[in-house]
Amino acid sequence: MTATQTTGEHGPGSNPDGSLLSVSGLVKHFPIRQGLLQRQVAAVQAVDGVNFTVRKGETLSLVGESGCGKSTTGRLLTRLEEPTAGTIMFEGRDITHLRDGQMRPLRRDVQMIFQDPYSSLNPRHTVGKIVGAPFKLQHVEPEGGVKKAVQELLELVGLSPEHYNRYPHEFSGGQRQRIGIARTLALKPKLIVADEPVSALDVSIQAQVVNLLEDLQEELDLTYIFIAHDLSVVRHVSDRVAVMYLGKIVELADRETLYDRPMHPYTVALMSAVPVPDTKRRHERERIRLEGDVPSPINPPPACRFHTRCWKAQDKCRNEEPPLVELLPGHQVACHFPENAPQPTAEASTSAG
Amino acid sequence: MVAYLIRRLLATIGLLFVVSVITFSIFFLVPKWAGATPDSMATRYVGRTATADVVHQTAVRLGFTDPFYVQYADWAKGLVAGRDFDMGTSIEHCPAPCLGYSFITAQPVLPDLLDRFTVTFSLAIGAAVIWVTAGISIGVLSALKRGSLVDRFSMVIALAGVSMPIFWTGLIALSFFSYRWGITAVGGAYTPFTQNPALWAWDLMLPWVTLALLFSAQYARLTRAGMLETMNEDYIRTARAKGLRERTVVTKHGLRGALTPLLTIFGLDFGLLIGGAVLTESAFGLNGLGKYAVDGIRANDLPKILGVTLFAALFVVIANLIVDLLYAVVDPRVRTK
Amino acid sequence: MTLTSEEQQPAPANGGGRFLDVRDLKVHFPTDDGLVKSVDGLSFHVERGRTLGIVGESGSGKSVTSLSVMGLHKRGAAKISGEILVDGQDVVASSDEEVRRMRGKRMAMIFQDPLSAMHPYYTVGDQIIEAYRIHNDVSKKKARTHAIEMLDRVGIPEPDRRVDAYPHQYSGGMRQRAMIAMALSCDPDLLIADEPTTALDVTVQAQILDLIRDLQREFNSAVIIITHDLGVVAELADDILVMYAGRSVEYGTAEQIFNEPEHPYTWGLLGSMPRFDRERSTRLLPIQGSPPSLINVPEGCPFHPRCRFEQNTRGLAKRERPELVDTGRGHFVACHMSQAQRQQIWRDEIKPKL
Ligand SMILES: Nc1ncnc2c1ncn2[C@@H]1O[C@H](COP(=O)(O)OP(=O)(O)OP(=O)(O)O)[C@@H](O)[C@H]1O
Ligand SMILES: Nc1ncnc2c1ncn2[C@@H]1O[C@H](COP(=O)(O)OP(=O)(O)O)[C@@H](O)[C@H]1O
Ligand code: SF4
Ligand code: SF4
Ligand SMILES: [Mg+2]
Ligand SMILES: [Mg+2]
């Protein structure tokens, strides 16, 4: 992209860098209040300085252990949560602090799928009403009427149009998740943030929903931000993967690169912890076992947040925060002493002592 | 914890302030809407033959002509510093904390109130002991024998207990135990605890049981529901999986979980009972706070009503404060938050 | 041929007696909607020092099975038949008091959600002490020392301080460790772990699985690990039982189940999982439809409405329930297709796509 183009010709459709969504310095702190005056004494640093971009048509996954800030990031992107700092650009527009009224058109473009297929659907509404709700909310009158549009959506997600008048409790978990997906698709969104869409489902059903999401992406040219903790599922669905630890992205790379040559010690440990359904490999695999649990996001370790569990940690890690830098094209890592590094970097060899 | 206590205390004071303002304004505004003037209100405190002038003077003297906030401020000042009332013929002193002064009985409200309070408190505490013991035992029993005859029978009784009005059960009890069989004293008997604890208990037995009947029924139902829920908890299954005796599972693991929520309800009930055992008191002719309030309302004696209302509010708040503190003792999750 | 005699079940590698022997277990719950046949004719066994993995989707009857072994079903609510022999003693036929005395010592259990499975009002230490003192007549002080030792053994840092903490002050992984410490405090002969890592993160899951494996070696107990995650059983189990709709559809050694599975449902499970250890497949191979309600288990082969190979049995699957039959090497399969046909489908159609 040339300089002249960046000055104004990237119309509605892309950010200056050509991405659909870009996030920089995103922070969300949840205050903890205490004492007589309920003063803020600390904060849960749920998301603490996150940068990434999402290209049109791709699937970017966020993985990490429970509490590392995946869902919070998702909720910030869909503006269900107000960012503490940072900027979110969607199609060249700063949406970081839009008010409710201004958000309305954006709500059509950015949709969210939730984890729990049981609690995210109103049990007293029919499937037709649930799936048709976005039309009502946004005052959109689809061609041929709402009912027809809803029935088409139901078919699109693999349900039968006859399900229109039924209630959520008559459906299984996987079918409910399909209803939820149909609802998010109603307004033809551009970006879908899917927060653990298959985690609550049985393996056999999980595969159905994963395949459905993939088909829809192809058919409707969707962009996904896929939040999950299951590294196998993530590998299956993503184009690029961001690994989060305690509110920060510690590694971001293409799927193949990340899974074949992970550089951040945390990523390496995560991968080696995944149980593999193969008895032959049971004794062969070399394992890296992390000690202990994830520290509290209220009082995260200073400098490199992973140093309390990292087997490579040195003094430098405890004193100096490693920035997220691109060590190979498209492969960003935040570590002073990365694994599988391109060549032993000057950095690592000189400052090891 | 200290910060928490202080915060709760401040909240309590704030709440009492609001309650007093509301009560005050009700008794200030309602007569006004009904067409009363300061003078017409003052007629009640002067002789039938008094001239309009005298009446007006009395109204001024008693502060009826002052605007609302001045009257309130006077009253609040009395609470802190005591207050003098110019009764025309004499000046009556109402020592701090002066909750008010009844012009009708020419008495400060507080000493009377405290006197009545001991009666009501006696009534409430005895009844509470009975209803808590009975309610919980019946509730636990029905929960453990769910669906059995015992369960069904006690729940029918409980339903009946909840739906029977107290003055009715009170009258029935009185007519049998006192009038017909002469086992207990006829209504109105009350011996202070300090005088003779045995007689105190004996005199109050009938009101206690009557009042407890109503509450036991409710508590039995709550305990049963709580128990059924707790016994389905995962940790009960764990306790059984360890190989604990069923008795230990129920008493040590089940009951504690089931009863904790009851604490809140108990605090509320007990606090409310202090302020509002009106029906029981009138049924049994006890000179408690409830009767005091009724008397006050009948005589349109604002200071009395205001006094009782505040006193009752104070009690509800204190009871809840104690409950919250107890909660922290019972449930470690509350403590560390 | 049904599983009635001992010779027909998978032979344990090390011979030895069966510590747990479940025979034709049926657990039915009468409900308002109808009879829930949660477990319907299940047989399996475990020896000391061995681990049995039970896999199946949610609602397939895994937890009901484990609670039956522990004798934790209410007598009134569940109709149980069959035999559950724990070291020769039948749990089904024993009195409540007899079963109670077996719990904790003969058999112990770890539950899925360690937060709700521990009493919120008692310290972790008290809960372990309580468990220990049921079967050991020792002073509180002695029991406390033992509790601290157990916490140390399962890898709780600073156990002498942590022993006085409440469950909510522990992290998820620590709670599960504490549960394990509690379950193992009386040195049980049989340990049942019902989805012990489902609520945990992968890194913590790996720690817990390692711990269970180490402890089993140390105590030489029989272990049953119940899960819906084939990866988890592959890590731990010697034998695997695949459950579908309250029945066993395939039962064999871990090697047999993973390397030469013969039941279409097992194939379906393997195809549904994205494989972390293989080349990424372009598409997952889900099982169509969803698991049946256990009130209306389909006639014949319970899997037939979802089975891609149903037509291979020429309608037999719709009418007749296939029995769990030994293929000759201690590998049991419940399917009407002939063994040759199954092996061929696995070799030619399924395996290449995984
Ligand atoms: N409303 C809130 N108030 C206070 N803290 C919060 C709030 N929402 C989230 N948090 C905290 O922020 C951190 C990140 O939470 P988040 O839900 O984003 O985690 P996650 O990565 O999605 O985890 P999981 O895999 O368990 O879903 C956690 O420590 C969480 O407790
Ligand atoms: N107490 C009960 N009453 C009625 N049905 C039950 C009861 N317990 C379990 N079930 C049913 O039994 C079936 C198997 O449950 P479970 O063993 O918990 O499955 P899972 O394999 O997920 O552990 C489910 O359909 C469940 O609804
Ligand atoms: S910076 Fe140091 S502590 Fe952090 S991940 Fe890298 S090596 Fe480990
Ligand atoms: S018996 Fe038939 S329906 Fe059942 S699993 Fe075998 S092939 Fe499928
Ligand atoms: Mg989340
Ligand atoms: Mg289960």
Side-chain angles (χ1 to χ4, degrees), chain A residues 30 44 46 64-73 81 115 196 229 297:
Chain A
F30 294 101
V44 180
E65 289 175 283
S66 184
C68 68
K70 309 181 293 291
S71 300
T72 308
T73 307
E81 207 85 70
Q115 166 170 3
E196 313 249 11
H229 63 267

